[in-house]
Amino acid sequence: MNDTPEARGSLRPNSLSLAAIVFLIIATVAPMSGTMGALPLAFGLGTGAGTAAAFAIIAVVLVLFTVGYMAMSRHMSSAGGFYVYIGKGLGERAGRGAGYLALFAYNVFQVAIWGTFGFFCNIFTADNFGFELPWVVWVLGGILVMGVLGYLSIDVSAKILGVAVVLEVAIILLMNVSIVVQGGSAGLNVAPFTAGEFLAQNPAIGLMFALNLFIGFEATAIYSEEAREPRKTIPRAAILAVAIIATFYMFTSWSLAMAWGVDDVATVALEDPGSFVFGAADQYLGGWSVNTMLVLFLISTFATNLGFHNAIARYQFSLARDGWAPRSLMRIHPQHGSPHVSSLVQTVVAAVVVLAFSLAGADPYEQMFTWLIALGAVGLMALMALTSLSVIVYFRRTGLERNPWVTLVCPALAFLALAAEVVLMIRNWDLQTMDAGGLVPWLPALLLVAALIGVLWKPGRPPAWLREDDSAGAPAEVVHDTGRPA
């Protein structure tokens, strides 16, 4: 009997350990990229010295989200990620709409990050070798390498991303420890964790940026089919990822507040965001660290996009298997067990969109990155909010779990917080996109278009995971998508 992944119609099982999934998720979140690119904005435009407290609050929100998410993950295992959760809770059309919204948002997010990659590649070569290339050359080279890695087995990507994560986190932590050992600019204190500092400037904006820095952790569910013991591994990976990311950002933001001083840190971040972290590293670690950080930043940016590439390829694969996208996207490589056709399509899409921005003469950082990162973030936050809502509906309907804290209180609080975040991001759209005019204020409408395409997709037979018996009191079984035609 042929037991290849292609014959089974599923991705290769038992490919990823708990550690591998955590590395994949943390690499997608990109601690280095977040620290260099977005953390200065959280300080300068948001909560100033109180940014560490903002991360503590967001950590609580995401733990509340993860409680319901973990409970629901015990009853299903699919590469479809959030759209499967939303479909199980809110129905088939909602699931299709969520699938297309997720696919669009992840693609947008990935293209945005390629903008920073091209921009900073030229900074590195100009400073060290005295030359620059068109930014699109660096990006297309990166996309080509990403496509090759996406074609191979997922454990190849996991190993590469694991090394990238260790290196990028290590250099930031070394800077943090150096700041602490030297006592910062005026001694160490806990003021960044106090309510006074958190509320002193713009707490709502600070929370918005802080939550954006966690985007990527939600991709845990996408690797369910390839995980070892997914019922245990996926929930543990989700909570571990949240804990590690939150601890990292709280420690880093507190250390930077100590480095520049509680009273001055917001001003320094706002005046020169690009030098905010590099300046602290130069002062407390030495000049050697600046170039090292820039190299690791480029590695981190590439690793982030490799993580998003794997997530997008699996979303496309799952949509195709469920009959909601062209069936060619569900083909699996007989040797690598990867969704290689879907990976190739995603690679081409990324290259085409990047070329379009280049031909239009767009700036890779101030336009491509800034506009698209905001658009992708709104879409992914909306998906997280809908997932929390679906947890409540799913357990109300099925009765599979009855602990009210797990099935109602925690997901309800998470839904309210995440929905408020979506509203906040849309209301502050001009701030996020640097007051860009033209069609930019209308970009969020594309999220609705993507969701509507999914909702209006010609209905066929419901996918296997939607046909499972969820009758009240049924035992908690894992749902395995076989992908075989009925």
Side-chain angles (χ1 to χ4, degrees):
M1 180 179 178
N2 189 354
D3 192 39
T4 64
E6 191 168 24
R8 289 193 307 268
S10 60
L11 298 171
R12 194 175 72 179
N14 300 316
S15 304
L16 298 173
S17 65
L18 173 64
I21 294 174
V22 171
F23 275 127
L24 280 167
I25 297 307
I26 295 177
T28 304
V29 171
M32 172 73 82
S33 296
T35 299
M36 300 295 185
L39 193 56
L41 299 178
F43 274 98
L45 299 174
T47 36
T51 299
F55 280 110
I57 293 169
I58 292 302
V60 172
V61 171
L62 293 181
V63 167
L64 292 172
F65 168 83
T66 306
V67 167
Y69 172 63
M70 287 168 59
M72 199 165 174
S73 72
R74 290 193 286 268
H75 304 278
M76 59 188 65
S77 176
S78 171
F82 280 170
Y83 89 76
V84 174
Y85 289 67
I86 293 169
K88 291 287 278 187
L90 304 180
E92 182 178 358
R93 287 189 179 275
R96 283 203 308 271
Y100 276 75
L101 174 59
L103 187 60
F104 178 78
Y106 275 118
N107 270 289
V108 162
F109 217 87
Q110 187 201 62
V111 172
I113 296 169
W114 279 125
T116 64
F117 182 80
F119 179 79
F120 282 100
C121 274
N122 268 340
I123 289 180
F124 177 73
T125 57
D127 289 349
N128 291 278
F129 305 105
F131 76 91
E132 294 184 19
L133 294 175
W135 64 268
V136 71
V137 174
W138 299 113
V139 173
L140 291 178
I143 289 174
L144 178 62
V145 176
M146 177 191 70
V148 172
L149 292 173
Y151 184 88
L152 300 175
S153 171
I154 184 65
D155 55 352
V156 176
S157 292
K159 291 172 184 175
I160 292 172
L161 293 178
V163 173
V165 166
V166 170
L167 291 175
E168 66 183 87
V169 169
I171 190 69
I172 296 293
L173 292 180
L174 184 59
M175 179 191 71
N176 295 345
V177 170
S178 227
I179 293 169
V180 173
V181 169
Q182 296 176 51
S185 65
L188 305 179
N189 58 71
V190 296
F193 290 100
T194 63
E197 288 296 335
F198 171 69
L199 297 171
Q201 297 190 47
N202 298 303
I205 304 302
L207 288 172
M208 179 183 73
F209 280 113
L211 187 51
N212 284 355
L213 285 169
F214 282 85
I215 286 178
F217 103 92
E218 75 287 343
T220 317
I222 295 171
Y223 301 106
S224 296
E225 288 184 25
E226 297 157 284
R228 299 171 191 167
E229 299 184 275
R231 280 172 52 169
K232 296 179 181 178
T233 302
I234 295 304
R236 290 173 183 173
I239 200 68
L240 266 175
V242 169
I244 292 170
I245 296 163
T247 302
F248 172 84
Y249 277 127
M250 283 189 286
F251 183 34
T252 300
S253 54
W254 174 77
S255 299
L256 287 168
M258 296 300 98
W260 294 112
V262 170
D263 294 332
D264 299 325
V265 65
T267 302
V268 173
L270 194 57
E271 287 180 349
D272 192 357
S275 299
F276 179 63
V277 178
F278 288 125
D282 185 36
Q283 180 178 343
Y284 290 92
L285 270 182
W288 67 269
S289 65
V290 175
N291 255 349
T292 303
M293 279 190 168
L294 184 53
V295 171
L296 291 176
F297 173 80
L298 295 174
I299 294 173
S300 170
T301 304
F302 175 81
T304 301
N305 270 342
L306 180 57
F308 275 109
H309 174 86
N310 286 323
I312 295 164
R314 279 150 182 79
Y315 258 105
Q316 290 176 163
F317 163 83
S318 192
L319 285 167
R321 187 176 54 187
D322 291 339
W324 298 345
R327 290 185 62 82
S328 59
L329 294 174
M330 66 176 285
R331 291 179 60 188
I332 301 168
H333 196 282
Q335 179 182 351
H336 302 304
S338 62
H340 62 297
V341 174
S342 181
S343 174
L344 177 61
V345 169
Q346 203 288 312
T347 302
V348 172
V349 168
V352 168
V353 176
V354 165
L355 277 171
F357 271 92
S358 175
L359 293 173
D363 183 276
Y365 188 83
E366 293 185 5
Q367 295 175 321
M368 191 167 93
F369 171 75
T370 304
W371 300 347
L372 297 187
I373 205 77
L375 182 61
V378 172
L380 294 174
M381 290 301 163
L383 283 170
M384 291 176 67
L386 286 172
T387 300
S388 290
L389 180 61
S390 72
V391 169
I392 299 170
V393 176
Y394 178 74
F395 286 122
R396 291 298 97 185
R397 188 183 73 246
T398 65
L400 287 171
E401 297 198 20
R402 301 182 184 277
N403 184 332
W405 285 99
V406 171
T407 63
L408 179 61
V409 177
C410 288
L413 291 173
F415 169 74
L416 292 173
L418 292 165
E421 171 71 5
V422 172
V423 173
L424 182 64
M425 293 173 77
I426 292 175
R427 289 186 62 182
N428 290 278
W429 184 255
D430 290 345
L431 176 64
Q432 296 179 85
T433 56
M434 298 183 180
D435 294 315
L439 296 175
V440 175
W442 298 97
L443 285 179
L446 294 176
L447 298 170
L448 292 176
V449 172
L452 281 173
I453 290 173
V455 170
L456 299 176
W457 182 271
K458 183 179 178 181
R461 187 174 186 186
W465 53 264
L466 203 53
R467 299 196 304 269
E468 291 290 326
D469 182 15
D470 284 332
S471 57
E477 296 291 338
V478 179
V479 177
H480 291 285
D481 292 337
T482 64
R484 298 188 182 96

